[in-house]
Amino acid sequence: MSSHPENIASYNKDYNFRFRYETLRSLLNKNGSALQILSDLEADLNHMRHYDKRIKRPIQRLITESLLMAQELNLMTGDLYSDLYGVILQLRNKTDKLFFDDQPDGDQTLVLRLDSQTGPEPSLVGGKAFGVWHLGKFFKDLVPPGFVVTTAAYNQILENNHLHNRIRILLNNLDVTEDQSQFQSRTQTIRRLIRKAAVCEEIESAIKEQALLLNQSFPGQLWAVRSSAVCEDGGHSFAGQFDSELRIKTEDLVKAYLHVIASRFSDRAVKYRIHNNFNEVDTPMAVFFMPMVDPAAAGVVYTCNLKDPDSDTMVISAVPGLANRMVKGEQQADTFLVSKGHPPEITRMIVAGTTETVKDQHYIVNEKIVEIAEIADRAVDKFGHELDIEWAVDRDGKVYFLQARQLNIGAADDPAIDKISQRKDTLPIIEGGMTIFPGRAEGPLRFLSPGDDLSGVPDGAVVLVEKPRPELASILPNIAALLVMEGNPVGHLATLVREFSVPCIFRLGENAKLLMGKNIISVNATKRTVYAGIRWPGIRERVLARIAAGNRHQKKSGPLYDLVLGLNLLDPDSSSFKAKSCRSVHDTLRFMHEMSVRSMFGFGDKQSRVWNKKSKKLITGLPVKFQLIDLDQSVPENIKQVAPEKVGSVPFKALWRGISDNRLFWPERWEKEMRGMPSDFKEAVLGGNKGPRRASDNNYAIVARDYMNLNARFAYHYAMVDAMVGPGTEHNHVHFRFRGGGAADENKKRRARFLELVLRESGFGVDRSGDLVTAWFRRYPKKDSEKALEFLGRLIVCARQLDATLKNDTAIKLYANYFIKDQFEMFV
């Protein structure tokens, strides 16, 4: 090489640029690996306690990767971020301390009787069994004896049959799965694995032993086998989410037990846990066994009238025989309103399916209703709160209490309900029924028959059904109101309606079919009236806001969540976005990723004169501008401009096939809306002063035959694609990063959620926070990696100005489905 100063300077610039990109490439590869570990850890912590030994090794690997990334970032920046070393080492010390702490002692009793005066641990026997023990403590003669197969037994069965990891894999990403057939297939597989599981001799013998002991008092008795998951019948009822097995012979108890624990993974139960943000490890299943009462009558008592909590009245529902069909919503009950007094007094009795008042029923005498009310009133005093109690009366007239849980008394989300304008210009289409939860709502009507696909119900719909089936629980978080032709105020679905605060009317009767064919429906559940069309300004918006608020999952927390998975550095443009502000390993990854990309951009911009001589301009008819920097002669030499098809980089060609797909459109909504405004004004308003690129800056694509790193500004957002695609699989990866936009923050976050949905459905791992989406596709064969890059190319184009379109949360799923089904014309 010539020793001429200009040549030496050029060589140094060349070396420095190549060194930085090689370092960035290595850092980004480690970042992808670290995010994969984070994703796996989040799934693991959903199923394991923080002190589980299986958690320790990946966390140690994650912290090692973070330290290596910190070293590479400091190599790129001249030790500008040396504070990172101390932050990461401090996090390592804190996590190590968690692992060295003694593991909590847990009761490993497998089977437990519920007749002791010493209360069992709720985490061992579950919520329902604990409630029964509580009842038995105060009313021993009224509660049949029983026993529990504990959560320790449940965990042992999963471990003995090697099901923990298989269940974790099958449940992974179900919270964002749009394909309902895939959701159902996975949960069905879990249930099948559990029903076929082997039950160890110790548990099976203990079940038979306890059953034989109780058979001495109840000879020839059939059994009720019921769920008792941890957290069930607590702040969250889980009403109707699990199965019960009734009239079971003693020799069939083990089989029934497996069926009940398998129901923990029913579609509705899994969706319920997802919506309420439960970790799987926090709700293990115990199972409660109780001899069956042969009832002449059975039902449920609410010790408070939820329609009028101040009325000092309780509500007792009753049916002849067993009440299991009644609580499922399959059988209507007779309803007794009973005043709380000494003695109580029946003030009204309503026959099932009517509003007719009568004096008595043949299967139960009024004196038994009064006796049930008296005992229930005493139970409230003992428990200290209002109760939802299941009861039965046997053929000899003896009263039994079979279950008790706290009665959740909700309030309407519309305190001004009685002050609404009294419009006289329209009359309701239907009136009447029974208020289950008060409030007003408006939305498109959707009638659901048994067997209809519930996933097709749009957010904010008013749903009409004939019977209150338990599986309807899965749509409650997303609908405006529920109208039911039949139903009981004390059934499982009624409990869940109140839990989710959904305006709801039961017992509308056949007249509700008058609503069929209507488009928009307005419901006043408090007044029990239903109108056609839009009636109350602003109610529709409030409904959608309620749904959106309910679907915002609370941030998970816990010792390792806070130290490893928590993300506190949310705004990269904030003054607090610095190394010393990192409080978790996830924070350090976010910080290093952001600063490494900024450093590379900044260096490239400073060296633009040098690299203008060495870079090639990409010639394309699309509204994007790129400078290609060639690392290994994958671009023809001695030319300054190159067409995409002449670039010899495998990953670049794959990405460009997606970007240039002739089915795509390149909308310029913001350019049209801001036409005529000064460029500096558009920069300020549309986010040009944030992020690593401005409109005037060059976009770079670094290419080699098996590698590509693209950092670009598309309109008012920023995208990065880093990919290695070769004949093997070990080093192949596709990393994607997307942030920014010109719309409001809420719209940008909606676009990020759209990207997360689509990317997960396509097999990418995803990390999303605010408007930043980071995704990875690692160790796949060459053909699959190329397809992933083509997919990303199409996604970048379709998502580039989608933040201007996603005006509400409903649009997220809508546009995700458009993209997944290749309906690209919807992205104009």
Side-chain angles (χ1 to χ4, degrees):
M1 185 186 71
S2 169
S3 60
H4 192 282
E6 288 186 8
N7 290 334
I8 294 174
S10 178
Y11 173 81
N12 288 337
K13 300 291 188 184
D14 194 348
Y15 173 81
N16 287 338
F17 202 88
R18 179 64 181 258
F19 173 78
R20 281 173 177 263
Y21 256 107
E22 289 294 340
T23 307
L24 175 65
R25 175 177 171 177
S26 176
L27 186 150
L28 292 175
N29 193 41
K30 289 182 177 64
N31 184 72
S33 175
L35 287 173
Q36 181 70 63
I37 297 171
L38 272 181
S39 179
D40 292 342
L41 275 171
E42 186 159 15
D44 287 340
L45 284 171
N46 192 29
H47 298 268
M48 304 175 198
R49 297 296 180 190
H50 72 272
Y51 44 75
D52 194 302
K53 293 179 180 178
R54 291 169 291 180
I55 296 288
K56 183 176 181 179
R57 187 173 178 182
I59 286 182
Q60 290 174 332
R61 280 180 51 216
L62 179 66
I63 291 175
T64 299
E65 290 284 272
S66 300
L67 283 168
L68 291 172
M69 287 173 62
Q71 185 180 41
E72 289 173 332
L73 177 61
N74 280 300
L75 281 173
M76 292 178 65
T77 62
D79 288 328
L80 190 60
Y81 304 108
S82 57
D83 289 346
L84 277 168
Y85 299 124
V87 172
I88 296 171
L89 289 172
Q90 187 178 30
L91 289 169
R92 183 175 69 181
N93 292 337
K94 289 180 178 180
T95 54
D96 283 348
K97 186 176 185 300
L98 285 176
F99 293 124
F100 286 125
D101 285 346
D102 292 335
Q103 179 174 329
D105 293 328
D107 190 341
Q108 295 303 302
T109 303
L110 300 177
V111 179
L112 187 68
R113 282 283 292 267
L114 283 183
D115 56 2
S116 67
Q117 283 299 306
T118 303
E121 182 63 40
S123 63
L124 190 66
V125 301
K128 186 177 294 180
F130 185 76
V132 171
W133 170 82
H134 221 117
L135 269 177
K137 177 182 177 182
F138 299 125
F139 305 99
K140 186 173 182 179
D141 294 337
L142 301 183
V143 180
F147 65 93
V148 179
V149 180
T150 66
T151 56
Y154 168 81
N155 287 324
Q156 183 171 310
I157 287 172
L158 295 190
E159 186 171 340
N160 290 349
N161 290 273
H162 308 291
L163 293 180
H164 275 298
N165 196 48
R166 298 177 74 177
I167 290 172
R168 181 185 71 80
I169 293 170
L170 287 164
L171 289 179
N172 193 35
N173 294 335
L174 274 192
D175 57 330
V176 294
T177 296
E178 289 293 297
D179 185 343
Q180 291 304 303
S181 62
Q182 183 185 94
F183 187 104
Q184 293 165 2
S185 174
R186 290 208 218 166
T187 55
Q188 187 179 49
T189 298
I190 296 173
R191 294 194 297 274
R192 184 176 66 250
L193 290 171
I194 292 175
R195 287 195 292 264
K196 291 182 177 180
V199 178
C200 69
E201 184 177 348
E202 184 180 5
I203 295 174
E204 185 170 355
S205 297
I207 291 174
K208 291 178 179 178
E209 179 183 345
Q210 292 296 332
L212 288 173
L213 286 173
L214 288 175
N215 269 336
Q216 295 174 8
S217 303
F218 297 85
Q221 195 72 13
L222 298 176
W223 292 85
V225 185
R226 308 182 68 187
S227 68
S228 183
V230 174
C231 297
E232 185 177 359
D233 284 359
H236 295 85
S237 68
F238 285 84
Q241 301 307 292
F242 309 123
D243 293 342
S244 295
E245 299 284 318
L246 304 180
R247 298 187 182 278
I248 303 300
K249 296 179 180 179
T250 301
E251 58 267 30
D252 294 329
L253 287 181
V254 173
K255 181 179 178 181
Y257 167 70
L258 289 174
H259 276 263
V260 172
I261 62 173
S263 75
R264 183 173 180 273
F265 298 96
S266 67
D267 291 353
R268 60 183 182 269
V270 172
K271 290 178 180 178
Y272 184 91
R273 289 196 294 276
I274 288 172
H275 178 78
N276 287 294
N277 215 30
F278 280 110
N279 287 326
E280 288 295 314
V281 72
D282 293 332
T283 58
M285 177 75 82
V287 176
F288 180 50
F289 295 72
M290 179 184 282
M292 291 275 308
V293 173
D294 182 20
V300 174
V301 52
Y302 280 2
T303 60
C304 175
N305 185 352
L306 296 178
K307 287 175 59 179
D308 188 3
D310 298 325
S311 65
D312 212 25
T313 302
M314 64 178 66
V315 179
I316 300 177
S317 294
V319 293
L322 291 171
N324 60 311
R325 291 185 63 245
M326 182 201 83
V327 295
K328 290 180 180 178
E330 298 171 357
Q331 178 185 5
Q332 295 205 66
D334 299 317
T335 302
F336 298 83
L337 301 182
V338 184
S339 64
K340 296 179 183 180
H342 300 285
E345 181 180 345
I346 298 174
T347 59
R348 189 181 180 195
M349 186 268 182
I350 306 170
V351 176
T354 73
T355 58
E356 179 185 350
T357 299
V358 298
K359 292 184 177 181
D360 53 36
Q361 281 288 56
H362 66 280
Y363 63 90
I364 187 168
V365 296
N366 288 354
E367 287 76 14
K368 284 298 169 188
I369 296 294
V370 171
E371 181 181 349
I372 291 167
E374 285 179 323
I375 302 170
D377 201 29
R378 284 159 46 204
V380 170
D381 290 337
K382 299 290 186 182
F383 279 75
H385 51 70
E386 302 291 351
L387 293 168
D388 166 356
I389 303 171
E390 288 189 20
W391 59 267
V393 177
D394 70 10
R395 305 290 176 181
D396 297 324
K398 179 173 175 55
V399 174
Y400 289 95
F401 276 12
L402 309 177
Q403 177 184 341
R405 61 183 168 213
Q406 183 168 352
L407 184 62
N408 294 319
I409 303 173
D413 60 353
D414 188 359
I417 193 71
D418 292 321
K419 299 181 180 180
I420 60 174
S421 59
Q422 303 296 315
R423 289 178 49 179
K424 303 295 185 180
D425 55 331
T426 58
L427 295 174
I429 300 175
I430 55 174
E431 294 183 86
M434 178 180 291
T435 298
I436 301 301
F437 191 83
R440 291 180 294 167
E442 291 179 347
L445 180 70
R446 178 62 64 92
F447 175 74
L448 293 178
S449 298
D452 283 353
D453 181 11
L454 299 182
S455 65
V457 177
D459 288 356
V462 174
V463 172
L464 172 65
V465 295
E466 292 182 356
K467 297 178 183 292
R469 309 183 306 277
E471 60 266 27
L472 294 170
S474 65
I475 64 172
L476 290 179
N478 298 312
I479 63 174
L482 179 66
L483 304 176
V484 185
M485 297 182 194
E486 301 179 10
N488 303 300
V490 296
H492 290 324
L493 192 67
T495 298
L496 294 170
V497 161
R498 289 186 284 269
E499 197 171 300
F500 287 109
S501 302
V502 178
C504 178
I505 308 173
F506 276 16
R507 294 190 181 180
L508 285 169
E510 290 294 315
N511 283 341
K513 292 184 178 179
L514 294 172
L515 299 172
M516 305 293 286
K518 304 297 181 184
N519 186 10
I520 300 296
I521 295 296
S522 295
V523 176
N524 185 337
T526 307
K527 303 290 187 181
R528 299 181 294 283
T529 53
V530 183
Y531 302 84
I534 297 172
R535 185 170 177 84
W536 303 294
I539 287 293
R540 175 70 172 156
E541 290 72 18
R542 288 169 60 181
V543 166
L544 293 175
R546 166 176 61 82
I547 292 170
N551 286 326
R552 292 190 188 105
H553 296 324
Q554 292 182 348
K555 182 181 177 182
K556 289 185 178 180
S557 187
L560 282 181
Y561 269 103
D562 298 340
L563 288 174
V564 179
L565 295 167
L567 187 59
N568 309 288
L569 296 187
L570 300 177
D571 183 2
D573 301 298
S574 167
S575 60
S576 62
F577 195 85
K578 47 190 166 187
K580 289 185 177 180
S581 300
C582 294
R583 301 202 299 273
S584 70
V585 179
H586 199 171
D587 281 342
T588 67
L589 296 177
R590 172 80 186 274
F591 179 81
M592 290 186 287
H593 192 189
E594 182 75 27
M595 293 308 165
S596 63
V597 173
R598 288 190 185 185
S599 173
M600 197 66 246
F601 275 136
F603 182 83
D605 292 338
K606 289 177 183 176
Q607 311 302 324
S608 60
R609 289 186 179 180
V610 175
W611 282 97
N612 276 338
K613 297 178 181 179
K614 296 184 177 292
S615 63
K616 322 283 187 181
K617 183 178 181 181
L618 188 69
I619 301 301
T620 172
L622 301 179
V624 289
K625 297 178 181 180
F626 279 103
Q627 293 293 122
L628 300 184
I629 299 173
D630 184 17
L631 296 181
D632 65 355
Q633 297 182 335
S634 62
V635 177
E637 292 188 276
N638 302 320
I639 60 173
K640 294 304 294 178
Q641 299 182 342
V642 61
E645 60 270 16
K646 297 295 184 181
V647 180
S649 168
V650 171
F652 177 84
K653 280 187 172 181
L655 181 72
W656 198 260
R657 282 196 295 272
I659 289 176
S660 60
D661 191 318
N662 59 17
R663 297 173 296 170
L664 304 182
F665 299 83
W666 285 79
E668 298 293 344
R669 289 189 182 86
W670 286 113
E671 290 302 323
K672 292 177 182 176
E673 293 187 23
M674 303 294 287
R675 186 171 294 156
M677 303 300 289
S679 59
D680 58 344
F681 177 80
K682 288 191 286 186
E683 279 286 297
V685 172
L686 300 181
N689 290 321
K690 291 188 176 183
R693 310 302 288 144
R694 294 176 62 86
S696 57
D697 293 333
N698 286 326
N699 291 318
Y700 294 112
I702 310 302
V703 294
R705 295 194 180 277
D706 61 354
Y707 177 73
M708 175 200 65
N709 179 278
L710 178 146
N711 284 283
R713 170 179 172 139
F714 291 89
Y716 300 96
H717 65 259
Y718 311 94
M720 184 211 74
V721 181
D722 185 84
M724 169 77 78
V725 181
T729 60
E730 180 63 24
H731 299 293
N732 282 355
H733 68 258
V734 177
H735 297 156
F736 175 61
R737 183 177 188 265
F738 192 104
R739 180 168 69 87
D745 286 345
E746 194 62 34
N747 283 38
K748 289 188 288 186
K749 291 175 183 177
R750 289 191 184 105
R751 175 166 58 185
R753 289 163 59 194
F754 158 83
L755 290 169
E756 179 184 24
L757 277 175
V758 172
L759 286 161
R760 286 194 188 277
E761 284 293 319
S762 302
F764 280 76
V766 183
D767 178 71
R768 175 180 61 82
S769 178
D771 67 339
L772 171 67
V773 175
T774 306
W776 57 93
F777 189 87
R778 298 167 53 80
R779 297 188 178 91
Y780 280 87
K782 179 174 180 288
K783 186 176 180 180
D784 292 333
S785 298
E786 288 183 85
K787 286 183 177 179
L789 283 162
E790 287 185 44
F791 162 85
L792 278 183
R794 292 191 292 270
L795 184 61
I796 289 171
V797 176
C798 289
R800 60 193 301 264
Q801 290 183 346
L802 200 55
D803 55 330
T805 301
L806 300 177
K807 300 294 178 65
N808 55 61
D809 290 343
T810 304
I812 298 170
K813 292 181 181 179
L814 184 66
Y815 276 86
N817 286 328
Y818 288 154
F819 186 86
I820 291 167
K821 294 176 181 178
D822 291 348
Q823 294 177 315
F824 302 125
E825 68 277 5
M826 305 306 296
F827 293 86
V828 177

